Every structure is written in structure tokens, then in C-alpha cells.
Amino acid sequence: MSDSPPGVADLLGVLAYAELTAFLRLAEDAARLAPTLTDRAALGDLAVTEYAHFRLLSDRLTALGTDPEEAMAPFVGPLDDWHARTAPHDWLEALVKAYVGTGIALDFYREAATRVDEDTRRLVDEVLVDGGRSQFAVERVRAAIENDHVVCGRLALWARRLVGESLSQGRRVVEARPELAALLVEAAGEDITRMFGRLTEAHGERMSALGLTPGP
Amino acid sequence: MSDSPPGVADLLGVLAYAELTAFLRLAEDAARLAPTLTDRAALGDLAVTEYAHFRLLSDRLTALGTDPEEAMAPFVGPLDDWHARTAPHDWLEALVKAYVGTGIALDFYREAATRVDEDTRRLVDEVLVDGGRSQFAVERVRAAIENDHVVCGRLALWARRLVGESLSQGRRVVEARPELAALLVEAAGEDITRMFGRLTEAHGERMSALGLTPGP
């Protein structure tokens, strides 16, 4: 069915489904939770960007001779579960999810992409670039938690839950797809500790940007 | 606040909110009801097109010196109610709604736009063009109802309900915005019967295209 190595089809497949479902969930959050029409449109902008990425990845799979639907199928369960377990209850939780939760997931994909062929890596870099997503969420969350320790504490807990759910669904994904796990291990080389260090550091930077300090 | 005639701001405002909310609802239907990932992506394509239209209309309002949020505000209630009262229960209902329900609404806006300035009319024509939307919904619905009188009857009833809800929400919209009603009446000239004739005919053509004949 496919001319590309299985790890590459897996990487493009998980990314394609991640982008498709992020598009749908962001649109849902925008409709359900945005406090103003301007906020609704701003989250809509993010959603549409994710959809454009989905199209790029889906076209790339087709060009490689892989059916996108087939490549995405193994990841529907884990990613749908992740979204179901991290459905935001209000607008601020939706923003933290869009920034922190998606950020962790994208860091993992970026690590996995360091050893694939150059064309694939260039495409992955393109779809993983943060095109202003951060500024939108960061500004609104910072404004909301300023001088409000209760909201700050609640969102810090929420962010920790997002990390926990991401790790447990991430484990399900790599357990189900050994070729994808192999890409990650190969990318990390002998020093998998350093890779986790990079992921942890990037997460910490996002938490600081939001003004959410790590809990005690 | 605004340099444009109130009827024009109303027309652009109702269209902008119609497109924004169509985008969000189509994405929701895609996530909730699409039977395959390919169908989900196809409805996603429609959703993203609506969003691009929303952006064009919103930019036009800003260029005319009108705050888009303010221009959309009067139409949030009626349009949200319309969507709440026509939430599809399955994939086929979602397709009939995307084609028939949206079609009626767009015909109304097209009628209202015949007497506005040329720049506005050109923009309205651009966002109202049916860029392949029909083919996608038409093919899937026709295939589903072939030789299935039960489904055919159910969808014909559903389409009739969409028309009824559209008319009753449409009345709320023009009652609330006399300037918009004036645009419609002015466009129809002395012969409002002929305008309703055109709307009815276009609806009948869409029903035939789907293979749904009018009920007894």
C-alpha cells in the first residue's frame, strides 16, 4: 500500500489526525466557550491554521502512496481519548489547553522527526511552527490571572493534568506503533534522558510565559 | 461608529455571523457525525471555506468603519436559535442541512444584496458562490436514499422542517432590523410575490438535486 518507511507514515499519520482533531476541537471550544465574538474569531483563526496543516500532511501521505485514512486510523482512539479526558470547562482552560497541551504534543512529534528524510522533516517543521498561537493565549491568560491566586492555582493544576494525560496517551501511541517508538529512540540516540530534559524545559518555559509557576 | 448606511452594515453583519457560526457548526457536525475520516475532512473543507468568507466580511466591515462585533451582535440570538432548533441527528441530516438549509439562507441574503453599492454586492456574490459544496452533499445523499423509501421520506420531512425554521428565524431577523427589511423590500420592488417565487423555485431545485421529491 505504501512506498515510505512505516515510521514515516506513522509520524505523518499521527500528526495529520492530531491536526484534524485539533481543528475540530478548537472550533467546538470557540463555539461553546469564547466570551466574545472577537475571541471566537481568534480561536477560529487557530483552528483554520490546524486544518491547513492537516491538508499538507494528508497530501504528503497521498504523494508517498499511503492512504491518509489508513495512516491516521491507529491514532484515532488515543487522540480522541486525550481530547475527551481534557475537555475544557471554561474559556481559560481552553486557552491553556491550546497552548500547553498542544505544545507538549508538538514537542514530541518534533523529536521524532529529527531522523527522518529531509523532505518529511521540512514539512513537519512547517506544520509545527507556532505562528502566533502563543501570543493570543498567553496575553489572555496572563491578564486573567493577574492578582487572582485562586484562578492561577486552578489553571496550574489543570496544566499538570494536561501533562499527565499527554504522557499516558503518548505511551499508548508508541506501544501501539513500534516503528514510531523506534524513530523517537533513534532520534534520542544514547541519551534519552537529555530528550526528556528538553521536553520538560520547553514545558516549563510555556508555564512561565503564561505566568503559571510550578506548584509546591 | 459607522460610515456605511445601516442596511449595508446589517447585511454584512448578518452574513458575517452566519458564516462564522456555519464554520463552527459544520466543524462540530464533522467531529460528531462523519462516518469516516474522509467524510470528516470533506465537511472540514466546507467549514474552512465558510471561515474564509467570515474573514472577508469582517474585514469589509472594519474598512467601512463598523466594528464587526457590533454589526454581528443583533443576529447572534436568531442564528444561534436556528442552529439549536436544527441540530442534525445523523450524518445525512447534517448533509441536507449544509445544502438545503444553508441554501435558503444564502438566497435571502443574495436578494437583499441586489440594491446595495457595487463593491458590497461583489463581495456578497463572492462569499455566496457555491464552490462545490453541492456536489459533495448531493452525491452522498443520493447514494444513501437510492432504493430506500424510509430514509427518503425522513429526509424530505427534515428538509421541510429546515425551511419552516428558516422562515420563522428570518422573520425575527427582519423584524429586529427594519433597515435590512427595507433592503429586501426595495430589492423586490413592487413584486414581492416574484421574489418568493424565485426563493421557492431555488429550494425546489435543491430538493430535486438531492433526489428528495416534495411530500404529498
Side-chain angles (χ1 to χ4, degrees):
Chain A
M1 285 299 286
S2 166
D3 307 327
S4 59
V8 169
D10 277 344
L11 177 63
L12 294 172
V14 69
L15 261 174
Y17 190 67
E19 297 282 7
L20 176 60
T21 198
F23 155 66
L24 299 168
R25 300 299 172 157
L26 285 172
E28 190 189 335
D29 292 345
R32 204 164 50 94
L33 303 172
T36 69
L37 293 176
T38 305
D39 286 324
R40 200 175 286 182
L43 208 60
D45 277 338
L46 285 192
V48 168
T49 305
E50 309 281 10
Y51 191 75
H53 293 162
F54 158 71
R55 274 287 164 212
L56 285 173
L57 293 156
S58 172
D59 289 349
R60 173 84 181 148
L61 280 162
T62 305
L64 291 172
T66 305
D67 176 13
E69 179 137 1
E70 217 171 280
M72 291 191 284
F75 308 107
V76 170
L79 291 179
D80 281 1
D81 282 353
W82 184 74
H83 279 290
R85 299 174 71 91
T86 60
H89 300 95
D90 62 26
W91 176 237
L92 291 173
E93 288 191 2
L95 292 178
V96 172
K97 180 176 171 178
Y99 182 54
V100 172
T102 309
I104 300 162
L106 299 189
D107 282 344
F108 264 106
Y109 302 137
R110 200 177 283 116
E111 292 286 343
T114 49
R115 291 294 174 96
V116 297
D117 63 283
E118 200 174 314
D119 281 354
T120 302
R121 200 177 58 246
R122 207 175 301 129
L123 175 64
V124 171
D125 282 346
E126 187 182 340
V127 304
L128 293 187
V129 82
D130 180 335
R133 161 193 288 130
S134 21
Q135 228 26 51
F136 163 69
V138 165
E139 281 166 17
R140 279 163 176 76
V141 173
R142 287 194 79 96
I145 65 179
E146 214 172 23
N147 303 321
D148 192 333
H149 291 297
V150 177
V151 174
C152 184
R154 181 168 65 79
L155 292 179
L157 269 177
W158 170 245
R160 223 177 305 167
R161 180 155 149 224
L162 289 171
V163 177
E165 293 293 349
S166 300
L167 290 175
S168 91
Q169 296 307 320
R171 196 169 50 218
R172 267 184 68 191
V173 165
V174 293
E175 274 170 9
R177 308 304 290 181
E179 294 89 350
L180 194 58
L183 274 187
L184 261 176
V185 171
E186 204 185 310
E190 292 175 19
D191 204 350
I192 206 150
T193 319
R194 198 174 293 172
M195 186 183 90
F196 274 96
R198 282 195 297 275
L199 293 172
T200 310
E201 195 183 337
H203 172 65
E205 280 166 14
R206 280 187 292 266
M207 293 292 283
S208 300
L210 289 176
L212 297 173
T213 45
Chain B
M1 286 299 287
S2 168
D3 308 327
S4 60
V8 169
D10 277 344
L11 177 63
L12 295 172
V14 70
L15 260 175
Y17 190 67
E19 297 282 6
L20 176 60
T21 196
F23 154 66
L24 299 169
R25 299 300 171 158
L26 286 172
E28 190 189 334
D29 292 346
R32 203 165 50 95
L33 303 172
T36 68
L37 294 175
T38 304
D39 287 324
R40 198 175 287 180
L43 208 61
D45 277 339
L46 285 193
V48 167
T49 304
E50 309 281 9
Y51 192 76
H53 294 162
F54 158 71
R55 275 286 162 212
L56 286 173
L57 293 155
S58 171
D59 289 349
R60 173 84 180 149
L61 280 161
T62 306
L64 291 171
T66 305
D67 175 13
E69 179 137 2
E70 219 171 277
M72 291 192 283
F75 308 108
V76 170
L79 290 179
D80 281 0
D81 282 354
W82 184 74
H83 279 289
R85 298 173 72 89
T86 60
H89 300 96
D90 60 28
W91 176 237
L92 291 173
E93 288 191 3
L95 291 178
V96 172
K97 179 176 173 181
Y99 181 55
V100 172
T102 310
I104 301 162
L106 299 190
D107 282 344
F108 265 105
Y109 303 137
R110 200 177 284 117
E111 291 287 342
T114 50
R115 291 294 173 97
V116 297
D117 62 283
E118 199 174 315
D119 281 353
T120 303
R121 201 177 59 246
R122 207 176 300 131
L123 174 64
V124 172
D125 282 345
E126 186 182 341
V127 304
L128 293 186
V129 82
D130 180 333
R133 160 194 288 129
S134 21
Q135 230 24 55
F136 163 70
V138 165
E139 282 166 15
R140 277 162 177 78
V141 173
R142 287 194 80 98
I145 64 179
E146 216 173 20
N147 303 322
D148 192 332
H149 291 296
V150 177
V151 175
C152 184
R154 180 167 66 79
L155 292 179
L157 270 176
W158 170 245
R160 223 178 303 168
R161 181 155 148 224
L162 289 172
V163 177
E165 294 292 348
S166 300
L167 290 176
S168 90
Q169 296 308 320
R171 196 168 51 219
R172 269 185 68 192
V173 165
V174 294
E175 274 170 11
R177 309 303 292 181
E179 294 91 349
L180 194 58
L183 274 187
L184 261 176
V185 170
E186 205 185 309
E190 292 176 15
D191 203 350
I192 204 150
T193 319
R194 198 174 294 172
M195 186 184 89
F196 273 98
R198 282 195 297 274
L199 292 173
T200 310
E201 195 182 335
H203 172 64
E205 280 165 15
R206 280 187 292 267
M207 293 293 281
S208 300
L210 289 176
L212 296 173
T213 45

